[in-house]
Amino acid sequence: MKENHYNWKEKDRWGSKEFILLLLLEFVVVIGFIKFILQPIYLQWYKSDLYAGTFTGITIAIILISGTYLIALRPKRLSWTEVGLKKFAKEDWKLIVLYTMIVMIGAIVITILTSFIGNTWENSKTEAIQQSKSFFSIVIAFISAAVISPIYEEIFYRGFLYRWFRTRVGFAGALLLSSMIFTIIHIPTYNAMPVNFFSGIIFALAYEKTNSIWPSILIHGISNGIMVLLASSA
């Protein structure tokens, strides 16, 4: 496979075709079918928002990872490094810790501010965790939020989308547009959307600063994992 020997912030090997196809995959297949049709079916099968949400996440992960490979990488004989899956410097661990703290503090501040308009942090998943605080349910929730979601979301929304926008509308435009799409796809969890937008910006900044998607995955995973543990102890 061809490797990335140029500045990823200035050039990529994709065009409008890959962008449109992957957006259609996201909005038609993931949101239109999986979230609004398949997830209710999972809920009927498992009678649990936690398990239904977990299987929904796994399904979305398979679809988006496969779609990224089959649409953006394989046709052009590109490796996964093209979407940021490459090593990062040891000194970037400081940034990972700092950005994780910023995400957590920002989430708390946003949650407090939005609570004044009647918004709450709880959703069906967190309520399911609180209602069934077994070790197994907490482990399932942790794996779903801290491992599965961060990997596929960062590869798709930062590794592909942020990078696609970055080479066309610049840093600020890519930051805002990729974060907006990342926020929209969390429908119907409307109460979490302000936090999702803020988090999306931080994750994209981590990719921008380190030139690797792994720090974004780690920041995303650690912050999600902490939130799951806080929800389970509430």
Side-chain angles (χ1 to χ4, degrees), residues 25-88:
L25 185 69
E26 170 61 55
F27 285 97
V28 176
V29 178
V30 172
I31 294 182
F33 176 71
I34 296 176
K35 287 196 173 184
F36 286 98
I37 297 177
L38 190 58
Q39 186 168 4
I41 294 174
Y42 283 154
L43 185 57
Q44 289 181 350
W45 288 352
Y46 298 105
K47 308 298 182 184
S48 166
D49 286 306
L50 176 60
Y51 295 152
T54 298
F55 278 99
T56 299
I58 292 172
T59 305
I60 295 173
I62 293 171
I63 295 297
L64 291 186
I65 293 294
S66 300
T68 301
Y69 176 70
L70 294 174
I71 294 172
L73 300 180
R74 184 177 177 182
K76 297 184 179 296
R77 302 180 65 188
L78 300 173
S79 73
W80 286 100
T81 59
E82 203 75 20
V83 289
L85 285 174
K86 50 191 173 184
K87 294 180 180 179
F88 59 92

Side-chain angles (χ1 to χ4, degrees), residues 171-183:
F171 168 63
L175 205 64
L176 293 174
L177 289 173
S178 63
S179 298
M180 285 176 61
I181 293 175
F182 179 64
T183 303

Side-chain angles (χ1 to χ4, degrees), residues 157-168:
Y157 299 107
R158 258 61 66 177
F160 176 77
L161 277 186
Y162 173 77
R163 181 178 174 189
W164 195 92
F165 286 125
R166 183 69 171 85
T167 62
R168 291 162 178 82

Side-chain angles (χ1 to χ4, degrees), residues 153-154 157-158 161 177-186 195-197 199-201 203 220:
E153 288 183 350
E154 293 312 308
Y157 299 107
R158 258 61 66 177
L161 277 186
L177 289 173
S178 63
S179 298
M180 285 176 61
I181 293 175
F182 179 64
T183 303
I184 292 170
I185 60 91
H186 282 86
V195 173
N196 292 330
F197 182 76
S199 300
I201 289 178
F203 301 149
H220 195 159

Side-chain angles (χ1 to χ4, degrees), residues 86-98 209-212 214-215 218:
K86 50 191 173 184
K87 294 180 180 179
F88 59 92
K90 290 182 180 179
E91 54 265 28
D92 289 334
W93 278 105
K94 295 179 182 178
L95 182 142
I96 292 170
V97 173
L98 174 63
K209 295 284 187 180
T210 65
N211 299 314
S212 169
W214 284 114
L218 289 168

